[in-house]
């Protein structure tokens, strides 16, 4: 027989069996299986705790959570609303799961980078899984990491570094293989320079693909761009991203005022653009394709080929205050207009 605990806000009503529940509508309750051990008094209404789960006294569980069989939750753990924790998961001190997180069966969170028998941890490392992220079955997450909002960790992945928002990571060690909800943009339709029109990138605003002129003969090919022609602004700075290990991710920021024009002069680079509402992915792999990125667009580049060299022309000198490096801050910036 399972038992149900009803409460208003903070798990304060007496324990009653399911048969003792009053007929008709009842206040939101907490379902606790008779073989579960729940020592915490901070369980949100609508949550369900199943057989052989063990939740220590200091843990905090939000509303509508689903804690499946055989889950262990230590004291210094925060579980948000509408979180699903599948069978065989242990949540150690220092772990926080924000709202709408999914943790697959037998996923493993670690809490010590250098464990020794009979040795206490030298420091408590905080692990944060941000809202909407999913962690696949049998994945392993090292301590002290941040799994970004809506990220997807593949089954069996070994996560050794922070995972960016919306990133899809797989393997050992886990590497980014794509981004959630980032459809690949159609290839740029090329043609004679006088006929080539700028092309939108999916539904993302503030981003344009531009076909640059090419002059070719027996001696080779030359690509060029002119200010107020192909270049929408007068560059005041340039930088080149090169020699990037293929597993590395660059960018992951937006600018408040800076405009950029990107050309992959060698090799190939995958680029994700995000306007806070829509996201798209494209490949820059030709020196005659330029990507114009206006201010206020979140930009990521990854999957750089070994010979990739990405030239970036910038509308302003470097200004650290112009960068937005946190995605939550970026979303707030977009909402503020």
């Amino acid at each position: 027989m399972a038992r149900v605990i009803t409460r208003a806000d903070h798990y304060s009503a007496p324990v009653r069996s399911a048969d003792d529940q009053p007929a008709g509508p009842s206040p939101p309750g907490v379902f606790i299986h008779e073989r579960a051990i729940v020592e915490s008094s901070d369980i949100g209404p609508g949550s369900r705790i199943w057989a052989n789960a063990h939740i220590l006294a200091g843990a905090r569980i939000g509303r509508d959570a689903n804690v499946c069989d055989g889950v262990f939750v230590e004291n210094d753990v925060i579980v948000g609303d509408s979180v699903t924790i599948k069978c065989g998961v242990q949540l150690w001190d220092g772990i926080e799961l924000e709202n709408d997180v999914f943790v697959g069966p037998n996923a493993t969170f670690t809490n010590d980078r250098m464990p020794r028998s009979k040795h206490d941890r030298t420091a408590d490392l905080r692990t944060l899984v941000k809202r909407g992220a999913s962690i696949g079955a049998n994945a392993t997450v090292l301590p002290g990491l941040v799994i970004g909002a809506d990220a997807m960790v593949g089954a069996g992945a070994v996560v050794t570094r922070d995972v960016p928002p919306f990133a899809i990571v797989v393997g050992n060690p886990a590497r980014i293989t794509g981004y959630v909800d980032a459809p690949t943009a159609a290839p740029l339709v090329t043609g004679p320079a006088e006929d080539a029109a700028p092309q939108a990138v999916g539904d993302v605003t503030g981003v344009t693909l531009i076909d640059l002129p090419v002059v070719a003969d027996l001696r080779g090919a030359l690509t060029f761009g002119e200010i107020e022609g192909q270049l929408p602004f007068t560059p005041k700075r340039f930088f080149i991203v090169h020699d990037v290990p293929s597993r590395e991710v660059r960018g992951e920021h937006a600018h408040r005022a800076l405009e950029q024009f990107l050309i992959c002069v060698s090799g190939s680079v995958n680029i994700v653009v995000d306007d806070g509402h829509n996201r798209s992915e494209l490949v820059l792999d030709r020196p005659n394709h330029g990507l114009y990125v206006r201010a206020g667009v979140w930009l990521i580049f990854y999957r750089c080929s070994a010979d990739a060299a990405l030239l970036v022309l910038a509308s302003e000198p470097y200004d650290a205050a112009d960068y937005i490096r946190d995605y939550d801050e970026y979303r707030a910036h977009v909402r503020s207009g």
Side-chain angles (χ1 to χ4, degrees):
M1 176 69 68
R3 65 183 190 275
V4 175
I5 297 176
T6 60
R7 70 188 189 67
D9 288 318
H10 288 290
Y11 188 100
S12 57
V15 175
R16 26 172 117 176
S17 71
D19 295 334
D20 292 333
Q21 292 301 306
S26 61
V30 176
F31 171 90
I32 298 179
H33 194 279
E34 64 180 358
R35 290 197 296 274
I37 301 173
V38 178
E39 302 174 45
S40 173
S41 61
D42 197 351
I43 311 290
S47 290
R48 299 169 301 283
I49 315 297
W50 295 95
N52 303 312
H54 187 175
I55 301 176
L56 298 189
R60 293 163 52 190
I61 311 293
R63 298 169 177 262
D64 298 314
N66 190 29
V67 181
C68 294
D69 291 34
V71 171
F72 176 72
V73 182
E74 267 195 319
N75 286 290
D76 185 15
V77 173
I78 300 173
V79 175
D81 298 340
S82 300
V83 170
T84 296
I85 307 170
K86 301 300 284 186
C87 303
V89 175
Q90 299 86 41
L91 300 180
W92 311 111
D93 286 344
I95 293 173
E96 178 177 355
L97 310 180
E98 291 188 346
N99 296 347
D100 303 304
V101 164
F102 173 86
V103 182
N106 299 307
T108 298
F109 292 89
T110 60
N111 63 351
D112 193 342
R113 288 185 176 272
M114 299 290 288
R116 300 290 188 194
S117 179
K118 307 294 186 180
H119 287 208
D120 292 336
R121 297 194 305 274
T122 56
D124 287 329
L125 298 173
R126 313 296 297 185
T127 298
L128 174 62
V129 183
K130 305 197 78 171
R131 68 180 187 281
S134 293
I135 298 175
N138 294 302
T140 299
V141 179
L142 266 60
L145 301 182
V146 175
I147 310 298
D150 293 295
M152 296 285 293
V153 176
V158 179
V159 182
T160 62
R161 305 174 66 176
D162 291 347
V163 177
F166 303 103
I168 301 169
V169 300
V170 299
N172 179 7
R175 297 182 180 180
I176 296 174
T177 60
Y179 281 80
V180 176
D181 299 328
T184 301
L188 180 61
V189 178
T190 60
E194 62 272 16
D195 296 332
Q199 179 178 313
V201 178
D203 295 324
V204 179
T205 59
V207 182
T208 308
L209 270 169
I210 296 175
D211 196 14
L212 300 173
V214 178
V215 178
D217 60 24
L218 293 176
R219 298 168 296 176
L222 181 148
T223 296
F224 67 91
E226 296 179 343
I227 296 169
E228 299 182 357
Q230 294 76 22
L231 295 177
F233 57 84
T234 301
K236 296 183 180 177
R237 175 171 63 104
F238 79 89
F239 58 91
I240 300 173
V241 179
H242 58 95
D243 294 333
V244 178
S246 61
R247 68 180 183 175
E248 299 297 330
V249 175
R250 299 296 302 260
E252 286 192 301
H253 59 253
H255 289 280
R256 303 176 191 278
L258 185 77
E259 301 173 80
Q260 299 178 91
F261 194 86
L262 286 65
I263 305 170
C264 189
V265 297
S266 175
S268 65
V269 179
N270 282 48
I271 297 190
V272 177
V273 287
D274 181 342
D275 62 9
H277 304 285
N278 298 298
R279 192 175 307 107
S280 192
E281 182 171 341
L282 67 153
V283 179
L284 284 184
D285 58 0
R286 301 182 187 180
N288 64 311
H289 288 174
L291 184 68
Y292 173 43
V293 181
R294 295 175 179 82
V297 174
W298 187 265
L299 183 67
I300 301 167
F301 30 98
Y302 75 112
R303 282 191 186 173
C304 298
S305 64
D307 59 342
L310 182 68
L311 171 65
V312 181
L313 305 175
S315 64
E316 299 295 335
Y318 175 78
D319 178 8
D322 188 61
Y323 284 75
I324 304 174
R325 299 186 183 275
D326 178 81
Y327 192 79
D328 288 339
E329 181 185 352
Y330 170 68
R331 291 294 295 272
H333 175 77
V334 171
R335 288 193 296 269
S336 72

